[in-house]
Amino acid sequence: MSRELKARLLNELESIVLIDPHTHINPHSAASKTLADILGYHYYTELAHSAGLARAQIEEPDLAPKEKVRRLVEWLKPLENTIQSSWLLEMCREFFDFDSDRLTPANWEGLYESASAKMAAHNWEEQVLDKSRLEKVFLTNDFDDRLAGFDTSRYVPCLRTDDLVFNLARPAVRQRLAKATGIEAGSAAWLTTAVGRLFEHFTARGARACAISLPPDFEPQSVPAEAVDPILKAIDAGREPSADESRTLARFVFWTLAEHCLEYHLPFDLMIGVNRRVYENGVFQGQDLFDQRTSLVQYRRLFNAFPQVTFPISVLAQTSNQELVSHSWIFPNVVTNGHWWYSNIPAYIELDCRSRLQAVPATKQIGYYSDMYKLEFALPKFRMYRRILASVLAEDFVIARNWSESRALELGQMVLRGNVERIFGLAG
Amino acid sequence: MSRELKARLLNELESIVLIDPHTHINPHSAASKTLADILGYHYYTELAHSAGLARAQIEEPDLAPKEKVRRLVEWLKPLENTIQSSWLLEMCREFFDFDSDRLTPANWEGLYESASAKMAAHNWEEQVLDKSRLEKVFLTNDFDDRLAGFDTSRYVPCLRTDDLVFNLARPAVRQRLAKATGIEAGSAAWLTTAVGRLFEHFTARGARACAISLPPDFEPQSVPAEAVDPILKAIDAGREPSADESRTLARFVFWTLAEHCLEYHLPFDLMIGVNRRVYENGVFQGQDLFDQRTSLVQYRRLFNAFPQVTFPISVLAQTSNQELVSHSWIFPNVVTNGHWWYSNIPAYIELDCRSRLQAVPATKQIGYYSDMYKLEFALPKFRMYRRILASVLAEDFVIARNWSESRALELGQMVLRGNVERIFGLAG
Amino acid sequence: MSRELKARLLNELESIVLIDPHTHINPHSAASKTLADILGYHYYTELAHSAGLARAQIEEPDLAPKEKVRRLVEWLKPLENTIQSSWLLEMCREFFDFDSDRLTPANWEGLYESASAKMAAHNWEEQVLDKSRLEKVFLTNDFDDRLAGFDTSRYVPCLRTDDLVFNLARPAVRQRLAKATGIEAGSAAWLTTAVGRLFEHFTARGARACAISLPPDFEPQSVPAEAVDPILKAIDAGREPSADESRTLARFVFWTLAEHCLEYHLPFDLMIGVNRRVYENGVFQGQDLFDQRTSLVQYRRLFNAFPQVTFPISVLAQTSNQELVSHSWIFPNVVTNGHWWYSNIPAYIELDCRSRLQAVPATKQIGYYSDMYKLEFALPKFRMYRRILASVLAEDFVIARNWSESRALELGQMVLRGNVERIFGLAG
C-alpha cells in the first residue's frame, strides 16, 4: 500500500512545472552540445579522478569532446554505485533513448553519436526545457555581467558576489568593478556607490536574487566606513592586506550588499560553509571541501539587523541542517533553501527534508534547486528530490498524520514551486 | 504485519500511567482556562511570528484571550505541516470533541466556546490528568518559590538554578536569594550556606531534582572560594563583573550546586546547549537558539568529581546525541533524558531513540518529558513519543532481534516510566 | 517482498569469505579459552560498570575466570537492549549451542562449562575461523613486536604507532625503540633511521598497514628536523617537554611515518577522534571518549603531501561521517574504513553505509572490520554489518534504482572483501 501511495504522489509531483532557483547555466549556451558537456560536469570528473583517473588526462589543452568522453567512460565502472551515476543513466535514457543500464567502453560510442545528433536539433534547448517541465531558470551572474542577449524572463539573472566580498584586493576584480560601474572604488563611500550601480543594473535587467557562498568561519557584522578607507587606500597603493584587513573589508562589502538587498527588495541567498582549494591538485571545480565546525549563530547580527531582507540559506554540512531548521523556525527572515552539493545525496536529503517539513512553516521552504551547469541535469536531479519528497509526504503526512493525498500534494506543490514564485517575487 | 505489530505495541504503551519528569506547569493553575492558554504556547507564537504574524499583534497589553486566539488562528495555515500543529489538532480532538482536521478562521470560534465550557468544569484539571494517564508532574521552580499551596506529591518540586548560576550579579537576584534564605551572600562561604538553605527548603517540600539549562560554551570546574570572594565583594560594591569574573562565579555556584546534589541525594538535570536572546525581537520565549559547536567532554571534570550524583542530560543540538549516548555508556552517573526543544521532532527523536536503545543500558534512559506549560500538552507530546517508541521496539527488537512483544514492552515500560520512578526516587 | 529480498541478499553476503582488516587479536592466543575471554571484552565490562557493577569487582587481582563471569552475568539484564548484548547471545548460540534468549544468573553456569569444553578442542581456533568464514585477520602490533611464532599469512601484521607519535617522551618508549632498532633516537635524523628500521622489520614480516589512533585536535604538518633536535635533546636530558614541544614532536614522528608508508608502500590507517582517559576511574579500556568538534580539514596538508599513500580513515564521531564521505569523494588517496567503536551501532552504521554507497566510488570503501580481541567476535559483528548492508543494497539499489540482485551483490562483495584485498595488496 505504501509503495502504491508513493508512486501516486510521485506521479502528481512530476507534473508540477518548475522554476529552478539556483543554477550555473550559461544562457547563451544553456543545453549540451555533446556528451562531453554532460560527462564534463565536475561531479563526474572529480569522482573519476578520485577513483584513479589522472587529472592531466581530462584537462589536457584542446582535448576533443569525444576523446574526453572516451577517457571518462573508462572510469565510470567504479562510480556506478554513486547517485551521480544514476543521474547520468537517467539523462541518457530520457533524452537519448539509451536502453542499457550501464555506460561502458563497449557501448558509449553509439550513445555519443546519437546524443550529438539529438543535440544538434535547432530547438534542443526547448526540447529539454519541455521534457523537464522547466519554466524559469535562475542564473549565477558575475557582478560585471552585461546581462544582454538572452531572455531574462526565462533565464532569471542573479547577482553573485563572492568576488566582491572576498577578492576585492585583486587588481583584476577592482578593474572589472570600475569598468562595470564607471567608479574607482577607492573609499568606502565610492565602493558603496559602485555596489548601488550593480544593483541598479541587475534589477533593471530582472535580477531576482543576490547570492554568495561563504567559508565556515565567516561571521558578518557591521563595519564603519572609517575602518575601511585606509584598507582600500593601502590596496590601491599595491600593498597586500593583512588577514585582519581582509576580514574587515569582506565584512564591510557583505554588509553593504545586505543593505542594498533591503533597498532593492532582493532576497540574499547565503550558501554557507565551503572551504576553497583544499585539494590543490584536484580537477577543475573539484578542489573544495568544508569544515563542519560552523554555526548559523555566526549570522545572528545579520538576521537581527535586516528583518526585511529574506535570506534563503543553504548549508554545505549536513550537520548544519538542524541549525537551519531552528533558525528558520525562529527568524521570520530565514528560509531553508535546497540541498547543497555534498549534502545533495538521498541519505541526507531524506533526513533534512523530513526535519524541515516537521518544524519549519510550509511557506518558508524552498525544496530544491539543481545547481546545474547544463539544462539536461534538472530532470534527474529534481526527480531524485521528488522521489524523496513523495516518500516523506506518504510516510509522515498521509500515513502518520492521516492527511488526504491532495492535501499532501498541496504541501509538495508549495515546497517545489509555490514558494519559489512568492519568495523571489515571480508571481504575476 | 509490521504495521499491525506497531499498532499493538502502541496500544500497550498507551496504557502506561506516566510521571512527567520535566515541565513548566504552574501548580496553582495547571490546566488551561481558554484556548488562548494553548495557542499562546511559545511554539505556536514563534512559528506564527516566523510565518509573518507581527509580534505586537499577540503581545499587545491587555489583549483578550479570544482576540488573541483569533489573531493566531489566522496564521495557522502555513504551520499546518509542523508537528506542533499536529499536537494542537490532537488536543482539540481529544479534549474538546473537535472533529475537523484543520483549525481555521471559519471554524475556530465554535471550538473556542466549547473548549471554554469544558475548561470551566470544576474538575477540569483532574479530567485532563485522567485522560492523559498522568500521575505526577515535575515542576520548574524558581529558587525562591515558597512551594506552598499545592499537592507536592502530584506536582513534584524541582529546583531550577539558572538565575543563581548565571545572573547572581543582578541585584534583583541577590535580593531574592537574601529574602528566601535570610542570608546576604557576600562571600563564597555565605553563598554556599545560602545554597544549602535552598536545598533544605526544597527537599523538605519534596523536591526530586535540581535543574539548569546551560550555554554551549559552559565548562564546569572547581573554583576555590578565595577566587570568588573578591568578585562577590565587587558586585556588592556595584561594579559590573568582567566576562572572566562572571565565568568564575558561574563555575563556583554550579559546582556548589553539584556538591549539594550529592549531600541531598538529588539528581542534577543538565539541559545543555542553549544560547539566550539570539533573536532579540522575537516573541516571548521565542528568542533562543543554539550553537552546535559544543561537547559533553566539557563536563568531564564534573562527571569524574561526582560519581555519586546522577546527571540526567538533555542536549539541544541533535548533533550532540551521539556524545550523550557514548557518555551514558561510559559514565555510570550519566543518564539520557528526553528530547529537548529543537530536537523534539520525530525525524530526530527516531534516530536518537534508536541509538540510545542500541547502546545505553536500559536502566539509564529517561525516555521523554513534555516540557509543557499547560497540562493538556502531555497527551499529544507523549503520544508522539510513544508512536516512535512503538515503531523502534517493533523494528529493532521484535523484528530485527526476534524479541517477544512482551519483552519489548518491558523495555518500553522501563524507558517511559520505570526509570523515572527509580532515578528520581519516587517508588514507594 | 522487500523482506524476502533482504533475506536473499543477506544469505549471499553471508557466504563471502572475509579478510578482517583491523583487529586486536593476539596471534599466540587468538580464540577464547573460557567465557571470561568473551565477557571480559571491554564493551561488556564498561556497560556493566555503567549500569552499576563496581570496577573492583571485575578488576580484582587473580580473579578466577568463572567467578568473573558470574559477577558480570549478574549485570547483564540492564544491558539486554544493547546491540553488544545481541552479539553475545549470537556467539553463545552459534558456537556453544546455547538455546535460551537470555543469559542469566540461573543459566550461565551450564553455558560456561559447555563453552569451556568446546574451547578446549585442539582445533578450536580453526573451528571458529571456519564457522566465521574468516581467511585472514589483521593484527595491531606494538612497534617492538618481534612478529615471530605465528603464521603471518593468516594473521597479518600491522604497525601500530600511537606510542611513537604521542608517547616518545616516556623513557620506557624510547628504551623499547632503542631495543627494537638498535638506535638511540637522540636526533631527528636518528629517529628517522629508527622508524625506517621498524618499517623494514614489519614489511619483511608481511605487514600490510601502518595504523594510529588520533585525538580530535591533531593537525598533522611537516616539521623541520632542526625544530625537533633540541626537543629530543631536552627529553634525553630528562626534561618534560612542553605542550608545544610535544605537539611538534608528534607532528614530526607522524609525518615521518607517512614518508615511510610512501617508501614501503603501506596504507596508513588513521582512526580519528579519540580522547584518552576522559573517565579516569573507568574500567580497563573503558575510559576513552571523544569530542565531536573535529574536522578532516585538519588533514589537508597530509592528503596533499602524500598523493601516493592510501589513507583508510575511520572516524569516531558519527557527525564526522559526511566529511569522510566528501573527502573520499574528492581526494584519490582517502578511503572510508569501517564503523569505529562508538559509531559501530546499527542506527549509525545504516546512515553511514547509505551515504558512502551513494557518494564514494565503490573501489574506495572498506565496509567493515571487527576491532575484536578474540576471534569469536567476528561472526556476530560482521553479521550485524551484513544485515545492514543487505538492507541498504535492497532498498537503495535493487528497489530504488532497479539494479539486479547479482549486480547489488557484486557491490556488496567489493565493499566486504574485494577492496580489502586490493587496497592492502593481498591479492595473489
Side-chain angles (χ1 to χ4, degrees):
Chain A
M1 181 196 115
S2 152
R3 188 147 307 172
E4 289 77 10
L5 169 62
K6 288 176 189 174
R8 280 197 306 277
L9 293 175
L10 176 58
N11 195 44
E12 293 296 319
L13 292 177
E14 284 276 290
S15 71
I16 295 171
V17 176
L18 297 172
I19 297 168
D20 189 339
H22 175 63
T23 79
H24 294 268
I25 289 293
N26 172 1
H28 308 289
S29 175
S32 297
K33 294 203 175 91
T34 74
L35 215 52
D37 288 333
I38 286 177
L39 269 166
Y41 189 33
H42 69 85
Y43 283 83
Y44 302 119
T45 55
E46 65 205 19
L47 282 166
H49 175 58
S50 173
L53 172 60
R55 175 184 171 183
Q57 282 279 306
I58 47 169
E59 299 194 354
E60 194 180 308
D62 305 315
L63 183 61
K66 191 165 174 182
E67 175 61 14
K68 186 176 184 179
V69 171
R70 193 191 63 73
R71 292 180 186 181
L72 278 161
V73 166
E74 283 187 349
W75 287 90
L76 288 185
K77 192 163 168 34
L79 320 182
E80 285 180 352
N81 57 297
T82 65
I83 198 69
Q84 294 86 354
S85 277
S86 79
W87 304 339
L88 177 63
L89 267 288
E90 194 141 20
M91 283 183 282
C92 293
R93 276 195 300 265
E94 292 282 349
F95 292 117
F96 314 123
D97 305 325
F98 190 61
D99 63 0
S100 172
D101 56 0
R102 291 178 133 141
L103 184 51
T104 71
N107 69 12
W108 73 276
E109 205 165 355
L111 174 70
Y112 188 90
E113 299 304 343
S114 67
S116 295
K118 294 231 176 201
M119 290 163 169
H122 73 282
N123 68 342
W124 178 243
E125 181 176 336
E126 273 67 31
Q127 286 186 45
V128 175
L129 290 166
D130 276 3
K131 194 172 180 76
S132 311
R133 294 194 187 77
L134 260 181
E135 186 182 319
K136 290 174 192 292
V137 171
F138 279 51
L139 307 177
T140 291
N141 303 98
D142 285 337
F143 67 80
D144 56 341
D145 193 315
R146 289 184 51 246
L147 306 176
F150 62 90
D151 173 0
T152 59
S153 76
R154 174 181 284 176
Y155 294 114
V156 183
C158 172
L159 172 58
R160 182 70 175 243
T161 57
D162 301 44
D163 273 343
L164 289 172
V165 171
F166 296 108
N167 300 325
L168 198 62
R170 295 186 193 161
V173 174
R174 286 203 312 293
Q175 282 155 21
R176 285 168 50 207
L177 181 61
K179 194 169 164 203
T181 64
I183 292 172
E184 301 281 344
S187 70
W190 280 113
L191 182 51
T192 303
T193 307
V195 167
R197 294 257 170 101
L198 299 178
F199 273 75
E200 266 171 56
H201 168 61
F202 268 76
T203 52
R205 294 291 300 152
R208 299 309 318 145
C210 179
I212 190 168
S213 74
L214 299 151
D217 64 354
F218 188 68
E219 181 152 0
Q221 61 181 66
S222 177
V223 170
E226 305 84 71
V228 175
D229 284 337
I231 301 171
L232 287 170
K233 235 173 230 134
I235 289 171
D236 270 339
R239 184 166 67 72
E240 189 78 7
S242 71
D244 257 14
E245 289 172 332
S246 291
R247 193 176 51 195
T248 299
L249 183 57
R251 285 175 167 175
F252 178 79
V253 180
F254 182 85
W255 206 263
T256 302
L257 292 170
E259 289 167 340
H260 285 82
C261 285
L262 174 62
E263 186 180 341
Y264 286 86
H265 306 291
L266 284 193
F268 196 175
D269 291 347
L270 308 183
M271 309 173 84
I272 294 175
V274 63
N275 283 125
R276 300 290 178 186
R277 295 184 55 73
V278 172
Y279 173 37
E280 291 151 23
N281 294 313
V283 297
F284 178 61
Q285 295 179 323
Q287 305 173 6
D288 306 333
L289 279 157
F290 61 96
D291 184 331
Q292 56 153 339
R293 294 168 302 178
T294 182
S295 176
L296 287 185
V297 157
Q298 297 164 218
Y299 291 80
R300 65 195 178 283
R301 294 184 196 88
L302 179 77
F303 300 152
N304 277 298
F306 296 96
Q308 300 308 320
V309 175
T310 300
F311 296 98
I313 292 185
S314 300
V315 289
L316 193 46
Q318 199 270 332
T319 45
S320 295
N321 178 66
Q322 188 199 13
E323 286 195 348
L324 178 53
V325 167
S326 305
H327 281 72
S328 302
W329 152 355
I330 292 298
F331 279 103
N333 51 342
V334 173
V335 162
T336 65
N337 193 15
H339 302 272
W340 191 32
W341 201 342
Y342 294 115
S343 286
N344 186 30
I345 64 173
Y348 294 140
I349 296 173
E350 209 171 284
L351 191 56
D352 295 351
C353 175
R354 290 189 66 201
S355 55
R356 294 176 191 183
L357 288 178
Q358 289 171 0
V360 176
T363 46
K364 299 184 68 194
Q365 307 191 36
I366 298 168
Y368 197 73
Y369 51 75
S370 74
D371 217 355
M372 64 184 167
Y373 286 75
K374 287 293 173 186
L375 284 184
E376 290 83 358
F377 281 88
L379 190 150
K381 287 183 151 192
F382 270 98
R383 188 170 287 168
M384 170 183 72
Y385 177 71
R386 293 196 238 221
R387 276 194 199 104
I388 294 164
L389 182 60
S391 173
V392 173
L393 291 173
E395 294 288 345
D396 286 359
F397 291 88
V398 178
I399 295 174
R401 291 170 59 181
N402 209 23
W403 278 28
S404 70
E405 294 183 34
S406 64
R407 188 176 179 188
L409 287 167
E410 272 171 44
L411 177 57
Q413 199 279 345
M414 183 172 286
V415 160
L416 255 175
R417 153 102 198 195
N419 290 339
V420 179
E421 270 184 290
R422 192 176 35 74
I423 289 169
F424 295 105
L426 296 163
Chain B
M1 179 196 116
S2 152
R3 188 147 307 170
E4 289 77 12
L5 168 62
K6 288 176 189 175
R8 279 197 307 276
L9 293 175
L10 176 58
N11 194 46
E12 294 296 319
L13 292 177
E14 284 277 290
S15 72
I16 295 171
V17 176
L18 298 172
I19 296 169
D20 189 338
H22 174 62
T23 80
H24 295 267
I25 289 293
N26 172 358
H28 307 291
S29 175
S32 298
K33 295 202 173 91
T34 73
L35 216 50
D37 287 335
I38 287 176
L39 269 165
Y41 189 35
H42 68 84
Y43 283 84
Y44 303 119
T45 56
E46 66 204 19
L47 282 166
H49 175 58
S50 173
L53 172 60
R55 174 184 172 183
Q57 282 279 306
I58 45 168
E59 299 194 354
E60 194 181 305
D62 305 318
L63 184 60
K66 191 165 172 182
E67 175 61 14
K68 186 175 183 179
V69 171
R70 193 191 63 74
R71 292 180 186 180
L72 278 161
V73 166
E74 283 188 349
W75 288 91
L76 289 184
K77 191 163 169 32
L79 321 181
E80 284 179 353
N81 58 297
T82 65
I83 198 70
Q84 295 86 355
S85 278
S86 79
W87 304 339
L88 177 63
L89 266 287
E90 194 142 20
M91 283 183 283
C92 292
R93 275 195 302 265
E94 291 281 350
F95 291 117
F96 313 125
D97 305 326
F98 190 62
D99 63 359
S100 172
D101 57 359
R102 290 178 133 139
L103 184 52
T104 71
N107 70 13
W108 72 276
E109 205 166 354
L111 173 70
Y112 187 90
E113 300 303 344
S114 68
S116 295
K118 294 229 176 203
M119 289 162 171
H122 73 282
N123 68 341
W124 178 244
E125 182 176 334
E126 274 67 31
Q127 286 185 46
V128 176
L129 291 166
D130 276 4
K131 194 172 181 76
S132 310
R133 292 196 188 77
L134 261 180
E135 185 182 320
K136 291 175 192 290
V137 172
F138 278 51
L139 307 178
T140 292
N141 301 98
D142 283 336
F143 67 81
D144 55 343
D145 193 317
R146 291 184 50 246
L147 306 176
F150 62 89
D151 174 1
T152 58
S153 77
R154 174 182 284 176
Y155 294 114
V156 183
C158 172
L159 172 58
R160 182 70 175 243
T161 56
D162 301 44
D163 273 343
L164 289 172
V165 172
F166 296 108
N167 300 325
L168 197 62
R170 294 188 194 160
V173 173
R174 287 204 309 294
Q175 283 155 22
R176 285 168 51 207
L177 181 60
K179 195 170 162 202
T181 62
I183 293 171
E184 301 279 347
S187 70
W190 280 113
L191 183 51
T192 302
T193 308
V195 167
R197 294 256 171 103
L198 298 178
F199 273 75
E200 266 170 56
H201 169 61
F202 266 76
T203 51
R205 295 288 301 151
R208 301 306 321 145
C210 179
I212 190 168
S213 75
L214 299 152
D217 63 354
F218 189 68
E219 182 152 0
Q221 60 181 67
S222 177
V223 170
E226 306 84 72
V228 175
D229 285 335
I231 300 171
L232 287 171
K233 233 171 232 137
I235 288 171
D236 271 339
R239 184 166 66 73
E240 190 78 6
S242 70
D244 257 15
E245 289 172 332
S246 291
R247 194 177 51 197
T248 299
L249 184 56
R251 284 174 167 174
F252 178 79
V253 181
F254 182 87
W255 206 264
T256 303
L257 292 170
E259 289 167 341
H260 285 82
C261 285
L262 174 61
E263 186 180 340
Y264 288 85
H265 305 292
L266 284 192
F268 197 175
D269 290 348
L270 308 183
M271 309 173 83
I272 295 175
V274 63
N275 284 125
R276 301 290 177 185
R277 294 184 56 71
V278 172
Y279 173 37
E280 292 152 22
N281 294 311
V283 297
F284 178 62
Q285 295 179 324
Q287 305 172 6
D288 306 334
L289 280 158
F290 61 96
D291 185 330
Q292 57 153 338
R293 293 168 302 178
T294 183
S295 175
L296 287 184
V297 157
Q298 297 164 217
Y299 291 80
R300 65 196 178 284
R301 293 184 197 88
L302 180 76
F303 301 152
N304 277 299
F306 296 97
Q308 300 308 321
V309 175
T310 300
F311 296 98
I313 292 185
S314 300
V315 289
L316 192 47
Q318 198 269 333
T319 45
S320 295
N321 178 67
Q322 189 200 13
E323 286 194 348
L324 178 54
V325 167
S326 305
H327 281 71
S328 302
W329 151 356
I330 292 298
F331 278 103
N333 52 342
V334 173
V335 162
T336 65
N337 192 15
H339 302 272
W340 191 31
W341 200 341
Y342 294 114
S343 286
N344 186 29
I345 63 172
Y348 294 139
I349 295 173
E350 209 172 284
L351 191 57
D352 296 350
C353 175
R354 290 188 67 200
S355 55
R356 294 176 191 183
L357 288 178
Q358 288 171 0
V360 177
T363 46
K364 300 185 66 195
Q365 308 191 35
I366 298 169
Y368 198 72
Y369 52 76
S370 74
D371 217 356
M372 65 185 167
Y373 287 74
K374 288 294 172 185
L375 285 184
E376 291 82 358
F377 281 88
L379 190 150
K381 287 183 148 190
F382 270 99
R383 189 170 288 167
M384 171 184 72
Y385 176 70
R386 292 196 239 221
R387 278 197 198 100
I388 294 164
L389 182 60
S391 173
V392 173
L393 291 174
E395 294 289 345
D396 285 359
F397 292 88
V398 179
I399 296 175
R401 290 169 60 180
N402 209 24
W403 279 28
S404 69
E405 293 182 34
S406 64
R407 187 175 180 189
L409 286 167
E410 271 172 45
L411 176 57
Q413 200 279 345
M414 183 171 285
V415 160
L416 254 175
R417 154 104 198 195
N419 290 340
V420 179
E421 272 184 289
R422 192 175 36 74
I423 290 170
F424 295 105
L426 296 163
Chain C
M1 179 194 116
S2 152
R3 188 146 308 170
E4 288 77 11
L5 168 62
K6 289 175 189 175
R8 280 196 306 277
L9 293 175
L10 176 58
N11 194 47
E12 293 297 319
L13 292 177
E14 284 276 291
S15 71
I16 295 170
V17 175
L18 298 172
I19 297 168
D20 189 339
H22 174 63
T23 80
H24 295 267
I25 289 293
N26 172 359
H28 308 289
S29 175
S32 298
K33 296 204 173 91
T34 73
L35 215 51
D37 288 335
I38 286 176
L39 269 165
Y41 189 33
H42 68 84
Y43 283 84
Y44 302 119
T45 56
E46 65 204 18
L47 282 166
H49 175 59
S50 174
L53 173 60
R55 174 183 171 184
Q57 283 279 306
I58 46 170
E59 299 195 353
E60 196 181 306
D62 305 318
L63 183 61
K66 191 165 173 182
E67 175 61 14
K68 185 175 185 179
V69 171
R70 192 192 62 74
R71 294 180 185 181
L72 278 162
V73 166
E74 283 188 349
W75 288 91
L76 288 185
K77 189 161 171 34
L79 321 182
E80 285 180 353
N81 57 298
T82 64
I83 199 69
Q84 295 85 356
S85 277
S86 79
W87 303 339
L88 177 62
L89 266 288
E90 194 142 20
M91 283 182 283
C92 293
R93 275 194 303 264
E94 292 281 349
F95 291 118
F96 313 124
D97 306 324
F98 190 61
D99 63 359
S100 172
D101 56 1
R102 292 178 131 139
L103 185 51
T104 71
N107 70 13
W108 73 275
E109 205 165 355
L111 174 70
Y112 187 91
E113 300 304 343
S114 68
S116 295
K118 293 231 177 202
M119 290 163 169
H122 74 282
N123 68 343
W124 178 244
E125 181 176 335
E126 274 67 30
Q127 285 185 46
V128 176
L129 290 167
D130 276 3
K131 193 169 181 78
S132 311
R133 293 195 188 76
L134 262 180
E135 186 182 319
K136 290 175 192 291
V137 172
F138 278 52
L139 308 177
T140 292
N141 302 96
D142 285 335
F143 67 81
D144 55 341
D145 192 317
R146 291 183 50 247
L147 306 176
F150 62 89
D151 174 0
T152 59
S153 77
R154 173 182 285 178
Y155 295 114
V156 183
C158 171
L159 172 59
R160 182 71 175 242
T161 56
D162 301 45
D163 273 343
L164 288 173
V165 172
F166 295 109
N167 300 325
L168 197 62
R170 295 188 193 160
V173 174
R174 287 203 311 293
Q175 283 156 21
R176 285 168 49 206
L177 181 61
K179 193 170 165 203
T181 63
I183 294 171
E184 302 279 346
S187 70
W190 280 112
L191 182 51
T192 303
T193 308
V195 167
R197 294 256 171 101
L198 299 178
F199 274 75
E200 266 171 57
H201 169 60
F202 267 76
T203 52
R205 294 290 301 150
R208 300 307 320 143
C210 179
I212 189 169
S213 74
L214 299 152
D217 63 355
F218 189 68
E219 181 152 0
Q221 60 181 66
S222 176
V223 170
E226 305 85 71
V228 174
D229 285 337
I231 300 171
L232 287 171
K233 235 174 228 132
I235 288 171
D236 271 340
R239 185 167 66 73
E240 188 78 7
S242 70
D244 256 15
E245 289 172 333
S246 291
R247 193 176 53 196
T248 298
L249 183 57
R251 284 174 167 174
F252 178 79
V253 180
F254 182 86
W255 206 265
T256 302
L257 292 170
E259 289 167 341
H260 285 82
C261 285
L262 174 63
E263 187 179 340
Y264 287 86
H265 306 291
L266 284 193
F268 196 175
D269 291 347
L270 308 183
M271 309 174 83
I272 295 175
V274 63
N275 283 126
R276 300 289 178 187
R277 295 184 53 74
V278 172
Y279 173 37
E280 293 152 21
N281 294 312
V283 298
F284 178 61
Q285 294 179 325
Q287 306 174 3
D288 306 333
L289 280 158
F290 62 96
D291 185 330
Q292 56 153 338
R293 293 168 303 177
T294 182
S295 175
L296 287 185
V297 157
Q298 298 163 216
Y299 292 79
R300 66 195 176 285
R301 293 183 197 89
L302 179 77
F303 301 151
N304 276 300
F306 296 96
Q308 300 309 321
V309 175
T310 300
F311 296 98
I313 291 184
S314 299
V315 289
L316 192 47
Q318 198 269 332
T319 45
S320 294
N321 178 67
Q322 189 199 12
E323 287 194 347
L324 177 53
V325 168
S326 305
H327 281 71
S328 303
W329 152 356
I330 292 298
F331 278 102
N333 52 342
V334 173
V335 163
T336 66
N337 192 14
H339 302 274
W340 191 31
W341 202 341
Y342 294 115
S343 286
N344 186 29
I345 63 173
Y348 294 139
I349 296 173
E350 208 172 284
L351 192 56
D352 296 350
C353 174
R354 290 190 67 202
S355 55
R356 294 176 190 182
L357 288 178
Q358 288 171 0
V360 177
T363 45
K364 298 185 67 194
Q365 308 190 37
I366 298 168
Y368 197 73
Y369 51 76
S370 74
D371 216 356
M372 65 186 169
Y373 286 75
K374 288 292 173 187
L375 283 185
E376 290 83 358
F377 281 88
L379 189 150
K381 287 183 149 191
F382 270 99
R383 188 171 289 169
M384 171 183 71
Y385 176 71
R386 293 196 237 221
R387 279 196 197 102
I388 294 164
L389 182 60
S391 174
V392 172
L393 291 174
E395 294 288 345
D396 286 359
F397 292 87
V398 178
I399 295 175
R401 291 169 60 179
N402 210 24
W403 279 28
S404 70
E405 294 182 34
S406 64
R407 187 175 179 188
L409 286 166
E410 272 171 43
L411 176 57
Q413 200 278 347
M414 183 171 286
V415 160
L416 255 175
R417 155 103 198 194
N419 289 339
V420 179
E421 271 184 288
R422 192 176 34 74
I423 290 169
F424 295 104
L426 297 162

